[in-house]
Amino acid sequence: MEKQKEKIPLFKSWKGWYILVLAVLLALVLFFEWITKTYA
Amino acid sequence: MSYIDWIVLVVTLVGIIAYGLYKSRTSKNLEGYFLSNRSMPWYLVLLSIMGTQASAITFLSAPGQAFTDGMRFVQYYFGLPIAMVVLCITFVPLFNKLKLFTAYEFLEQRFDLKTRIFTSFLFLLSRGLSTGISIYAPSIILSSLMGWDIFWTNIVMGGVLIIYTVSGGAKAVAYTQQLQLIIFAGMLVAGYLIVHYLPEGVGFKEALQVSGASGKLNVITTGISEKGFDWKDRYNIISGVIGGFFLALSYFGTDQSQVGRYLTAKDNTESRLGLLMNGLVKVPMQFLILLLGALLFTFYQFNPSPVFFNKSVETKALQTPYRDSLIQLQQKFTAIQAVQQSHTQSFVIKGQASYKDSVQTGAKKMSELQQQYRKVLAKAMPGADTNDTNYVFLRFVVDYMPVGLIGLLIAIIFLAAWGSIAAALNSLASCTMIDFHVRLKGIQYNPNDPAQCAAEYRQSRLYTLAWGVFCVITAEFASGMGSLIEAVNVLGSLFYGVILGIFLVAFYMKRIQGNAVFMAALLGEVVVIAFFLMDRYNIIGLGFLWLNVIGAVAVVLLAALLQMVLPRSAKPA
């Protein structure tokens, strides 16, 4: 019942948010790896 | 500090207190005082979560950490976004559904009273002591650099915020934590000025080249060498993701200072959004703070750098028989620095890549001389703190920032400290009131009884005040013990894993009952302490982040084993 009432911004379900957070983390790690390799 | 800086500092601090008091009007009952009537939008929850986690020492220490050890410290936060996701799936919906005041209330519903009280007690013990150190740590840095009396610095650092924390509870805490946006603005200005002060022809990109060549942009490290994985290595991607995940899950899921922040949200959606946004912004934010340290390293390749950044210890050491040795090392350092400056200029301004090796060699020589200098300082001043990492950024502020901005940046340090200390006091008071006072006296919460609400409100304020006084006293006693800072950091890791283990059993192992988990927690604590002692006495090598993993895994496994041999009680699990 509670789930039906919950209005989730941006995505259809919370799963979208979870994937976004993990994808951003992955992108950041790749970006940091690039910095490490480029400037080391 | 100039008069203008003093005026800026005092006006800013008074402004923060006035704002906190202005926002402190809240319902005079337990829900209003500890949970802002569960009315906060996600962005206030986010700022509150961030302000609680980022203490003053975060902003002081992180740039120094990158300056000395490079930016690999950021990996410590890699487990945090994953923990935010797990929290949103498991912890948050349940905590909100049960309308809890404290996280430990859930343990009584799931297990029994003794597990709740034990876990709440572990929290009060570790958080109470660490909050004292959160007051002392920035105070000692400010008092050393500015020549302020440590007693009064502790009082202002830990005592003044009590005014609005006692008066307005969680609501005042959350609204003053909003002001931390000023902190980010201040750090951005500092970053801009560091690059601005570099010589002509050296911009942001060139600054990165210099710090990169000197090993300061080591953002990703694996901790793996020819000898295999180094368990002693504190910051690498493996310990960051695994150890950092357990630490973040424990901290955000079971530490009332954080749970109390997202329980103030008006519903499940706002709690989740606050936490997920934290998962999105925390790593980049830490990266930017660390970048300041890497840029500062480049700055000191072109400008005279102190051999040692804590002026106070250095001045005292120069009055001892070791003066000549210290001055000799200073002269050597200055000579190497002059050569280093010329090599760095050739490397970036003239674009001569062949100078890259010379820059690296020079940076290594300077670092070695600094280590030698610290060793002599330790002999000259036995017991003095010869780790100057926390002083690097503030020394730059004091030496190079324009008048007015010094006062503002020091006010920002206070603001950062107050944000995390205020949240800690609020959570300490809520656990004392809800888990001990109300529960053990058998008081039934009734928001419709004005007399009872008034009495509970008064009592809650008294507990907040009492914890504030306790933490300031702890800070005053910590003054003579520099190594206590490290000891209390480890203290947190000694308890966090076990507390997390109890909650993991509660959520995911439905068959386990109270007696099994309680005994597993006690034994798990013994296991963690055993590993800690083995590391201390060099029997094994273990970074402190792993203690969180060991504690949690030990409780889960022991609870499962004990449940097999212990008789099951009639009470349904």
Side-chain angles (χ1 to χ4, degrees), chain B residues 415-462:
Chain B
L415 178 58
W418 287 0
S420 61
I421 297 164
L425 294 186
N426 184 257
S427 64
L428 287 164
S430 70
C431 283
T432 313
M433 184 69 193
I434 306 291
D435 292 329
F436 289 87
H437 185 98
V438 170
R439 177 62 185 87
L440 297 180
K441 282 195 169 185
I443 300 167
Q444 291 297 316
Y445 176 57
N446 180 7
N448 299 318
D449 181 346
Q452 186 188 332
C453 284
E456 286 168 349
Y457 175 67
R458 265 198 314 276
Q459 193 63 46
S460 302
R461 284 166 56 126
L462 272 176

Side-chain angles (χ1 to χ4, degrees), chain B residues 341-399:
Chain B
Q341 195 171 334
S342 142
H343 285 165
T344 312
Q345 274 179 343
S346 300
F347 174 54
V348 287
I349 299 178
K350 295 176 190 164
Q352 294 174 1
S354 56
Y355 277 92
K356 190 176 176 182
D357 287 344
S358 309
V359 170
Q360 284 172 340
T361 314
K364 203 178 161 192
K365 275 186 188 168
M366 284 167 72
S367 170
E368 281 167 3
L369 265 177
Q370 283 173 316
Q371 276 179 23
Q372 279 182 40
Y373 197 78
R374 279 186 214 118
K375 281 182 186 165
V376 179
L377 282 175
K379 283 182 195 165
M381 302 277 298
D385 186 9
T386 55
N387 181 353
D388 62 345
T389 306
N390 295 337
Y391 293 81
V392 173
F393 178 62
L394 211 53
R395 179 79 184 262
F396 166 78
V397 169
V398 172
D399 288 348

Side-chain angles (χ1 to χ4, degrees), chain A residues 2 6-9 14 17-22 24-25 28-33 35-40, chain B residues 78 81-82 85 88-89 208-209 212-213 217-220 237 268-269 272-273 276-277 280 283-284 287 356:
Chain A
E2 195 186 320
E6 199 172 10
K7 200 182 165 192
I8 302 158
W14 284 109
W17 272 100
Y18 304 151
I19 291 167
L20 174 71
V21 170
L22 298 177
V24 168
L25 174 66
L28 283 168
V29 171
L30 292 174
F31 171 62
F32 294 156
E33 176 67 13
I35 289 179
T36 307
K37 284 202 168 146
T38 307
Y39 289 101
Chain B
F78 283 178
I82 308 169
V85 170
C88 288
I89 295 169
L208 288 184
Q209 281 173 350
L217 296 186
N218 53 350
V219 195
I220 301 289
I237 192 162
N268 225 3
T269 306
R272 276 176 162 153
L273 274 179
L276 290 170
M277 287 293 184
L280 285 174
V283 176
F287 173 80
K356 190 176 176 182

